[in-house]
Amino acid sequence: MTDTPDSSSDPHAPKAQNVNLLRKFLNGTEIDTRLLGMFGALALIWLGFHFYGLIFKGFGAMLTPRNLWNLSVQTSSIGIMATGMVLVIVTRNIDLSVGALVGVTGMTMGILQAEIFPQYIGLGHPMMWVITAICGIALGTLIGSFHGWLIAYRDIPAFIVTLGGLLVWRGTAFLANNGKTISPLDDTFKLLGGGPYGTIGATGSWIVGLLACAVVIFMLYNGRRKRSVHGFAKRPMWGELTVGGLSCGMIIGAVLLVNAYPWPKGIVKQYAAANDITVPEGGLFISHGFAIPVLILLTVGILMTILVNRTRFGRNVFAIGGNPEAAALAGINVKWMTLKIFALMGALAGLAGVVASARLNSATNALGLLDELYVIAAAVIGGTSLAGGVGTIYGAILGALVMQSLQSGMVLIGFDTSIQQIVVGSVLVFAVYLDNLYRKNAK
Amino acid sequence: MTNERTGTPLVEMRDISISFGGIRAVDGVSLDLYPGEVVGLLGHNGAGKSTLIKCLSGAYQADSGKFYVDGQPATINSPRDSRDLNIETIYQTLALADNLDAASNLFLGREITTPLGFLDDGQMEAETRKIIARLNPNFKKFKEPVSALSGGQRQSVAIARAVYFNARILIMDEPTAALGVHETEMVASLIKELKNQGLGIFLISHDTREMMDLCDRVAVMKNGQLIGNERVEDVTEDDILSMIIMGKNPKAAA
Ligand SMILES: Nc1ncnc2c1ncn2[C@@H]1O[C@H](COP(=O)(O)OP(=O)(O)OP(=O)(O)O)[C@@H](O)[C@H]1O
Ligand SMILES: [Mg+2]
């Protein structure tokens, strides 16, 4: 064998050099192309809707702090569930019941905080929100465990169990309060859904942002140190700096963005009156900052990423997805794992129920309707393979953001619900097709 | 010979039977294994070799029969039970999770963790590099999922997994089927080395010559039954072939 020719002797040198540069960038930073593709899709959607608005309506509403802030809040409950759906799909299962679980847990929490708990601890008790949320999450966990038990220990396919669950729990949510809506909810509970008061303000957001940057830098440093210990190949220094710079840049950009969105005048007036502040002539600029549900999503995302990448549980989940027989032969209790995965999915659906009902400040039996489809779509668009064994948490959260961006972009430019459905459906199918192409090329 | 079969056997399988929907895949087989001994299992396709050793490895539960390890009765209801008895198995199908890398497969179900309980991937990869270097020095793809490996490389991972955990009893179901000449030789010398360390090895292979070379004893199965169980120095290759094909033991007849 002779040496493979390098790019200098290549007749298509300029093009090859570009390709090499990109390859070198990707290798050096270890950014995978799928992540890049997701950011590309997101940028495309955001710019597309913005300029569509700008050109045809005279106003681009997509890329405003207000809209992007709303987008972050709207993404929360789907994003929370999508992280759990990754594990479900990775192990070659599916959960069609998550939307109905949001409904039934939301409804139950509504009844608990409006009718049951006040009898014992009084309306507006400061602990009301915690107790209610814990009950909701516990109920989700319980139902998820039951589904998991039917699937793992009674060998009923997940598709059937959770399809049944979808109907059963949606029906239960209706019966629970005879179809009546419960509103308003507890004042503190409500903050979990966002809204002007359900935010951490400018200072809080800076603290969160800078903390996040510190964590990113620490993780890069620690990763490098670990590779040194074992003498493995390290990223080139410029690669580390690029990754660190990009990540911190995005975090700080997000902080600037959420801080650029002020409270509406009415809220400011109300707040000023309540706190004896005089509003100056030009009005008072009070930033929203990060919304609490977004922080919940980020926390869930981080914890789930640790669970998936750094624990035995996560490793075993992927082993089961890659080869269930091999996992069983390696001594992994596949049934028990399956039950736990569905329990976790149920818990996350309960948490999403908290966020969704708090955001609406009401519990209705239609809460979370069709969420299962958005959640599955988010996971799949985020690179989770329905064949099992492949998927990432960050991908699923980005997938949720992509889905929500599409949805909200279409609302902004005034598309009907029917057209929205057509577009979302087509995009899902197209995304999976693109994913297939990507996988084939990657091989 | 060094391997006088004295003392208690490492493993003894007594009268093992298992059926799949009416087919008696293993039919009353009794077989033992002594420390430092390599016992070869031969037989035509579908003879029941893999099924027999899967009963020992906990992958299947025998319908009837008993296991003794070091002379003590042992219950083997799951792969975990078998591992706890220091029995390691290389399955014919390799039993690898294709989406995971070599280190994750090697430590599957027995991951190394840090004091805080998190996976220690660095340590696992370092250990994997060490053990695989002994089997296949050309192996380089430590970061890729094993689906990206060649058949022989995958087999190296499966062998490394069985050898790594200091087994006392090793089951190897056609471990060299996909290996090149050089790699096969390395596995053969590994088997000899392990045997000298006092391990007992069940080896399954269709290569009669290789078996004559590596094994102390050969056991031949046909249609789920044990046809013969002879020391290699007492039989010829033709004897073995006739047992495999005719299902008769010329020794027993003689
Ligand atoms: N899980 C199973 N379900 C049903 N039948 C099975 C199962 N496993 C094995 N069998 C049957 O048991 C018999 C023995 O199979 P086994 O795999 O033990 O053969 P083998 O001797 O290992 O053959 P080979 O040399 O081809 O590997 C075959 O008839 C096979 O069809
Ligand atoms: Mg076999």
Side-chain angles (χ1 to χ4, degrees):
Chain A
M1 277 271 291
T2 53
D3 282 348
T4 46
D6 63 12
S7 58
S8 57
S9 62
D10 194 325
H12 309 291
K15 193 184 167 212
Q17 234 155 30
N18 274 343
V19 172
N20 281 348
L21 222 63
L22 181 67
R23 171 84 7 100
K24 201 174 153 211
F25 173 77
L26 292 176
N27 284 343
T29 53
E30 295 177 8
I31 293 176
D32 73 304
T33 42
R34 178 192 301 279
L35 185 64
L36 222 55
M38 305 247 341
F39 277 117
L42 205 55
L44 209 69
I45 292 170
W46 286 6
L47 292 172
F49 282 114
H50 191 74
F51 285 106
Y52 183 95
L54 207 60
I55 292 163
F56 294 99
K57 312 240 154 170
F59 176 64
M62 190 75 190
L63 292 177
T64 57
R66 175 193 154 96
N67 185 56
L68 293 178
W69 185 89
N70 276 325
L71 197 58
S72 72
V73 176
Q74 288 158 356
T75 304
S76 303
S77 77
I78 300 288
I80 288 168
M81 289 190 280
T83 63
M85 193 60 83
V86 171
L87 301 193
V88 170
I89 298 180
V90 159
T91 49
R92 308 183 180 189
N93 285 313
I94 196 79
D95 193 338
L96 299 172
S97 70
V98 294
L101 285 193
V102 169
V104 79
T105 55
M107 204 64 206
T108 308
M109 286 186 284
I111 296 172
L112 286 178
Q113 65 188 288
E115 284 160 26
I116 313 246
F117 290 154
Q119 294 172 22
Y120 302 99
I121 59 177
L123 207 61
H125 189 279
M127 293 307 282
M128 179 76 85
W129 68 278
V130 200
I131 305 171
T132 311
I134 289 175
C135 288
I137 295 169
L139 178 65
T141 313
L142 202 69
I143 297 175
S145 311
F146 178 55
H147 289 171
W149 177 76
L150 289 173
I151 294 159
Y153 292 91
R154 288 293 167 266
D155 288 324
I156 311 173
F159 186 91
I160 299 302
V161 170
T162 57
L163 181 63
L166 183 160
L167 297 167
V168 168
W169 303 116
R170 184 60 72 193
T172 310
F174 185 94
L175 281 184
N177 205 33
N178 294 318
K180 289 194 297 281
T181 296
I182 297 170
S183 188
L185 300 182
D186 180 76
D187 277 339
T188 321
F189 186 84
K190 195 167 81 178
L191 301 183
L192 300 175
Y197 291 121
T199 55
I200 57 170
T203 320
S205 301
W206 275 116
I207 292 172
V208 167
L210 294 177
L211 265 178
C213 288
V215 168
V216 165
I217 292 165
F218 171 76
M219 277 177 30
L220 287 175
Y221 166 78
N222 202 31
R224 200 175 170 79
R225 192 184 55 82
K226 268 198 197 140
R227 291 194 199 190
S228 293
V229 168
H230 296 291
F232 301 156
K234 280 179 285 205
R235 257 199 282 244
M237 204 55 200
W238 63 264
E240 305 270 13
L241 290 176
T242 312
V243 172
L246 281 176
S247 313
C248 294
M250 276 193 291
I251 293 167
I252 290 171
V255 173
L256 289 173
L257 180 87
V258 293
N259 282 353
Y261 176 38
W263 277 5
K265 282 204 183 66
I267 301 283
V268 172
K269 213 177 279 170
Q270 202 181 49
Y271 175 80
N275 289 283
D276 275 338
I277 305 170
T278 42
V279 181
E281 259 317 292
L284 201 58
F285 189 98
I286 301 179
S287 299
H288 276 81
F290 287 116
I292 289 173
V294 175
L295 295 177
I296 295 177
L297 169 62
L298 292 180
T299 310
V300 166
I302 291 167
L303 291 178
M304 290 293 285
T305 304
I306 293 172
L307 183 73
V308 161
N309 293 333
R310 301 251 56 91
T311 69
R312 275 195 174 152
F313 178 86
R315 184 62 46 85
N316 293 349
V317 164
F318 278 80
I320 292 171
N323 186 345
E325 290 84 39
L329 291 176
I332 297 170
N333 190 339
V334 177
K335 288 179 194 290
W336 178 228
M337 286 288 292
T338 304
L339 192 149
K340 284 196 280 190
I341 291 165
F342 276 90
L344 179 61
M345 183 72 253
L348 290 170
L351 182 58
V354 171
V355 168
S357 62
R359 188 164 109 77
L360 287 182
N361 190 19
S362 68
T364 77
N365 60 67
L367 196 69
L369 201 66
L370 292 185
D371 270 8
E372 57 280 351
L373 301 182
Y374 285 95
V375 169
I376 293 167
V380 169
I381 286 180
T384 308
S385 160
L386 286 166
V390 181
T392 58
I393 301 297
Y394 69 78
I397 294 176
L398 271 176
L401 188 58
V402 166
M403 293 295 294
Q404 201 56 53
S405 298
L406 259 184
Q407 179 85 17
S408 115
M410 288 188 292
V411 171
L412 283 182
I413 62 175
F415 277 2
D416 294 346
T417 330
S418 49
I419 299 184
Q420 290 174 26
Q421 285 173 344
I422 292 171
V423 171
V424 168
S426 315
V427 164
L428 174 62
V429 175
F430 186 63
V432 172
Y433 171 69
L434 279 186
D435 194 54
N436 285 345
L437 290 185
Y438 170 83
R439 272 180 225 279
K440 279 200 191 106
N441 278 334
K443 267 189 184 146
Chain B
M1 281 254 92
T2 46
N3 291 301
E4 282 311 316
R5 293 166 58 195
T6 50
T8 42
L10 214 45
V11 196
E12 199 186 341
M13 297 188 263
R14 259 188 227 160
D15 214 11
I16 304 295
S17 295
I18 183 170
S19 311
F20 295 108
I23 300 172
R24 291 209 125 201
V26 174
D27 192 358
V29 173
S30 297
L31 194 58
D32 54 9
L33 177 69
Y34 284 79
E37 191 185 32
V38 180
V39 171
L41 260 179
L42 288 140
H44 59 85
N45 293 129
K49 309 180 292 294
S50 296
T51 307
L52 175 66
I53 59 100
K54 277 183 172 176
C55 293
L56 180 59
S57 79
Y60 294 150
Q61 287 169 44
D63 295 338
S64 64
K66 286 197 169 65
F67 296 100
Y68 296 84
V69 175
D70 293 325
Q72 303 297 317
T75 32
I76 301 178
N77 290 325
S78 72
R80 194 153 278 242
D81 290 346
S82 174
R83 280 184 168 187
D84 289 346
L85 293 164
N86 291 312
I87 302 173
E88 291 291 331
T89 311
I90 300 161
Y91 292 98
Q92 192 171 7
T93 54
L94 302 185
L96 299 174
D98 279 339
N99 54 335
L100 301 180
D101 61 15
S104 304
N105 269 293
L106 203 146
F107 288 96
L108 196 55
R110 290 180 282 203
E111 295 81 1
I112 301 180
T113 52
T114 62
L116 287 176
F118 294 113
L119 293 176
D120 193 343
D121 279 319
Q123 185 65 30
M124 288 194 269
E125 188 181 331
E127 295 290 321
T128 306
R129 283 174 188 266
K130 259 189 255 163
I131 184 86
I132 289 191
R134 291 179 53 195
L135 296 166
N136 187 347
N138 298 320
F139 193 101
K140 290 279 163 357
K141 294 185 166 176
F142 288 96
K143 290 286 180 207
E144 266 110 311
V146 296
S147 61
L149 305 184
S150 76
Q153 289 168 333
R154 291 160 55 82
Q155 206 146 33
S156 301
V157 175
I159 297 173
R161 170 165 66 186
V163 175
Y164 178 80
F165 291 96
N166 299 321
R168 295 177 60 222
I169 300 149
L170 197 57
I171 301 170
M172 307 174 101
D173 195 347
E174 307 197 23
T176 56
L179 295 185
V181 184
H182 180 229
E183 288 81 0
T184 303
E185 255 167 39
M186 294 194 70
V187 171
S189 67
L190 177 77
I191 289 176
K192 286 174 189 153
E193 188 188 324
L194 295 172
K195 168 183 150 73
N196 285 335
Q197 289 171 14
L199 271 77
I201 300 173
F202 280 120
L203 179 64
I204 300 178
S205 168
H206 289 286
D207 184 340
T208 324
R209 178 143 317 142
E210 180 192 51
M211 293 292 257
M212 297 285 285
D213 206 31
L214 286 174
C215 301
D216 301 296
R217 244 191 312 149
V218 286
V220 178
M221 288 182 73
K222 188 176 168 77
N223 299 332
Q225 289 172 332
L226 190 69
I227 302 299
N229 176 7
E230 302 290 339
R231 295 159 62 101
V232 269
E233 42 295 10
D234 300 344
V235 284
T236 62
E237 226 181 300
D238 284 343
D239 291 337
I240 296 175
L241 285 176
S242 84
M243 281 195 273
I244 295 171
I245 297 163
M246 321 278 280
K248 285 201 195 86
N249 187 351
K251 283 277 158 194

